[in-house]
Structure formats: structure tokens, C-alpha cells
Amino acid sequence: MFKVDPKHHQSRQLQHKHQHQSQLTRNRLPRFALWVVLLPAAIVGAAAATLIGFNVALWAVLTAVLFVIGAWLITLLVEGSRHAGNRMIRYVVYGAFILALIPLLSVIWTVLERGLPGITSNFLFTSMSGVTGAMDNQTVAEGTPVLGGAYHAIVGTLQISLMATLISVPIGLLSAIYLVEYGSGGPLSRAITFFVDVMTGIPSIVAGLFAAALFGMIFGPSTRTGFVAAVALSVLMIPVVVRSTEEMLRIVPNELREASYALGVRKWRTITKVVIPTAISGIASGVTLAIARVVGETAPILVTAGFATSINFNVFSGWMASLPTFIYYQIKTPTSPTNVDPSDQRAWAAALILILFVMLLNLAARLIARFFAPKTGR
């Protein structure tokens, strides 16, 4: 009877395994090959940047270009043109992503570096009422903390943004529902779509002039209130809300609507209980983008709400400050023309508060979307 030697069988399996691995790894670059390419690229990039005028950004760009060329060339020689083309496109995409990320990180770093020293309790809970150039001169001379803050601007920004949201979201949401659920491509829906497209490209200053002119005709030419600013911002917010909500409603599967209708549910209840909850994540993101679109606007607020140095809690009466106008006036007209450092510190601190405000809006939108999203569990 023929017997198979276990040792011989095991050695044949190992040999077959090694042959299989060699076939898989044949004509493939080792993992460390790209690091070997990166080191000469960095050295040559540094030398070329030194000849032109060395700076970190130029060195990084030259290194990236040389690395992509070197990685493509060595892959072409070892692995072939197909792998070389794939590797080159991959690194080009990575490089484009990094280049797009650099300005964002640069802005965040600059605002943090210059704004954090100005974030104090005095800045957050006091206004500019009573702050004079002599006080800033004394601050610079004696090295004391900067007096005056942006409390009135923070309150004004929150009030104006909230009022603009209360105006824009219902109008934009209902308009999008009409376009998707009721319009059916009729003349009215085509007209709404056309005007929404036109409003999307309206400059912000035009929206401010429109609101100022409208309320000036009704209440007098000198009408400047937070509510007028909210109306101006709502002109900019409504098309963003309509477009984003419309797209989110269109991607809701028709099967969900048909299943609801088959159970005898009325159309308005299907929209409120099925369609909107299904698309609430995208709707919340669209509303957040709309708020972020207008929260940093300066021109429309200047012509509609004016600028104040004290706190005003009434959006329907009196001038009102906001963070964008506060930053503008601190840079444009410093409190002390001879010592602008305190005003610069207030401006950078207000810019940091504005960025944090937008970040909190995005966080709130994600939490709302997660809370209201339809449950997917069994």
C-alpha cells in the first residue's frame, strides 16, 4: 500500500506556498520604496527652493511634485504602466486634498494664535460703552489688560441670526415642499425655481439695500433695527434653504410615500411624518449652511442695523451691533489711532468667537439630524 511521507507532504505545501507568494509579490515595490523616493525628493526640493528663495511652502510644493514624478517613474520601471498611472493619480488626489486643507488650517491657526489672548471674561461680558482711546493708550503704556469687549456684538449676532432663521426656515421649507410634493412642474413652480436661482446670486449689499429701502418707505428713511437686518439676511438665506431642502426631499424614495398612501394616510401627514423625518438630516445641514452663509455678512448689517457700542436687547428698536460689524470697526477705525494693538486684539478675539459660533451651529445640526433621523433598527 502506498504511503505519503508527512514530512515530504509538508515540504511540498511550503514550497507551493512560497511559489504562490513569489507570484503575488513579483514585480512589486517593497513598502519602504516610496520612503526612499521621498527622502531624495525632499533634499532636491530644499536645494531648488534655496536657489529660488527658500520658504516652507515652496519647499513642500517642490517636494510633492518631485515625489509624485519619482514614485511614478520607479513604479513604471518595476510594476508597469498600469500600476504607475494608478499610483500617480492617487498621489495627485492626495496632494490636491492637502493643498485644499492648508488654507483652512492656516486660517484656524492664525485666528487661534491671535484671538486666544483676547478671550477674557472682560471681553465676553462687557461692551464698548465708555471705552475711549485714552484708555487704550493707558493699557499700552502700563501693560494692563485690554478694557472693553464684544458682549453687545455677541448678543446682537445671536438675536439677528435667530430672527433671520425664524423668517427663512418656514418660508424656505414650505417652498421646497410645494416644489417637490405639489408643484408638478407647473407655471408657479417654474417661476419659484427661477426666482430662487436669481436670489442665489444676489450680492449681500443689494439684500441690505432692499431691506433698508423697504422699511424706510414704511417707517421712515432713518429706520435701523436688528429686525431690518434679519429681513436682509433672510433674503440671502431663503434660496439656500429652498435649494438644499428641495434636493433632500427629492431623494426620499417614492416607495415610502406610496406605502403611506396605501395605508390611507393623508398627503400632509405623509409629508410631516414620513418624508420630512427621512430627509431631516440633509434639511438640518442645509439650514446650518444657510445660517453660516449669512452670520459673517457685514455690508447688509451696516446699512440695516447700524453700529452700537452698548447692549440692545430689542431687535425692533434702535441700532444693534454684530460680530462682523464689530470686527470691521475695530480694524477700520481703532479706538486709539496711535495705539491700534488693543483694537486688533478685540478684532481677532471677535473673529475667533464667530468661528466658534459657526462650529457650534454645525454640531447642533448633526445632533438634530441624529435625534430626528428615522430609526433603522429592527
Side-chain angles (χ1 to χ4, degrees):
M1 183 175 179
F2 179 75
K3 293 183 179 180
V4 179
D5 187 3
K7 294 182 179 180
H8 178 71
H9 180 67
Q10 186 177 8
S11 63
R12 290 291 300 272
Q13 286 182 338
L14 292 174
Q15 183 180 4
H16 178 71
K17 182 178 179 181
H18 289 312
Q19 289 178 353
H20 182 66
Q21 289 179 349
S22 63
Q23 290 177 358
L24 291 176
T25 58
R26 186 181 302 161
N27 296 331
R28 293 293 180 90
L29 289 172
R31 295 181 180 273
F32 60 85
L34 297 178
W35 293 102
V36 175
V37 175
L38 180 61
L39 182 60
I43 296 174
V44 176
T50 303
L51 294 176
I52 300 174
F54 184 83
N55 62 74
V56 177
L58 179 61
W59 175 46
V61 171
L62 292 176
T63 301
V65 172
L66 293 174
F67 172 74
V68 171
I69 296 174
W72 173 79
L73 184 59
I74 192 174
T75 306
L76 178 65
L77 295 175
V78 177
E79 298 183 359
S81 59
R82 184 169 64 89
H83 292 284
N86 178 65
R87 195 179 294 270
M88 183 184 68
I89 296 300
R90 182 197 308 173
Y91 290 135
V92 168
V93 172
Y94 288 166
F97 169 73
I98 294 173
L99 288 177
L101 200 61
I102 288 175
L104 175 62
L105 296 178
S106 177
V107 170
I108 294 176
W109 174 258
T110 302
V111 175
L112 285 174
E113 182 184 15
R114 300 192 180 188
L116 278 177
I119 303 297
T120 61
S121 59
N122 178 76
F123 177 80
L124 295 175
F125 298 106
T126 60
S127 66
M128 292 297 293
S129 179
V131 178
T132 62
M135 299 172 65
D136 280 359
N137 293 335
Q138 184 178 1
T139 296
V140 174
E142 300 179 0
T144 56
V146 177
L147 299 178
Y151 177 57
H152 60 302
I154 296 173
V155 171
T157 298
L158 293 175
Q159 289 179 305
I160 294 173
S161 301
L162 177 61
M163 188 62 63
T165 304
L166 293 177
I167 297 172
S168 305
V169 171
I171 297 175
L173 182 60
L174 293 175
S175 300
I177 291 174
Y178 173 80
L179 291 175
V180 176
E181 304 293 338
Y182 296 96
S184 302
L188 182 57
S189 63
R190 292 198 299 269
I192 293 174
T193 302
F194 172 76
F195 285 113
V196 167
D197 293 338
V198 172
M199 290 174 63
T200 304
I202 289 179
S204 59
I205 185 63
V206 175
L209 292 174
F210 161 75
L214 175 64
F215 282 86
M217 292 173 57
I218 300 174
F219 300 104
S222 60
T223 303
R224 299 289 185 273
T225 64
F227 183 74
V228 181
V231 172
L233 296 183
S234 67
V235 174
L236 303 174
M237 288 181 63
I238 288 175
V240 180
V241 176
V242 172
R243 274 298 178 212
S244 59
T245 304
E246 182 183 0
E247 294 301 323
M248 291 301 105
L249 294 179
R250 290 189 186 279
I251 65 176
V252 175
N254 284 328
E255 288 79 3
L256 295 178
R257 299 179 176 89
E258 294 170 357
S260 179
Y261 297 151
L263 294 174
V265 181
R266 295 179 181 274
K267 189 168 187 175
W268 70 268
R269 194 165 181 83
T270 299
I271 294 172
T272 56
K273 295 298 183 179
V274 177
V275 178
I276 293 180
T278 305
I280 189 63
S281 177
I283 293 174
S285 299
V287 172
T288 303
L289 289 175
I291 298 175
R293 158 78 171 83
V294 302
V295 73
E297 291 290 348
T298 306
I301 299 180
L302 283 175
V303 299
T304 54
F307 178 76
T309 58
S310 58
I311 300 171
N312 179 14
F313 291 101
N314 187 0
V315 294
F316 299 100
S317 177
W319 287 22
M320 182 174 289
S322 66
L323 285 172
T325 57
F326 178 82
I327 297 170
Y328 173 78
Y329 275 103
Q330 288 296 315
I331 297 296
K332 186 69 175 178
T333 57
T335 308
S336 174
T338 57
N339 290 301
V340 299
D341 290 341
S343 295
D344 286 345
Q345 179 175 315
R346 298 189 194 101
W348 283 106
L352 179 57
I353 295 295
L354 194 59
I355 291 178
L356 292 177
F357 182 57
V358 175
M359 292 177 64
L360 290 176
L361 284 175
N362 281 274
L363 178 61
R366 292 179 180 272
L367 294 177
I368 292 172
R370 178 174 297 182
F371 181 77
F372 287 103
K375 303 299 184 290
T376 57
R378 294 183 179 179

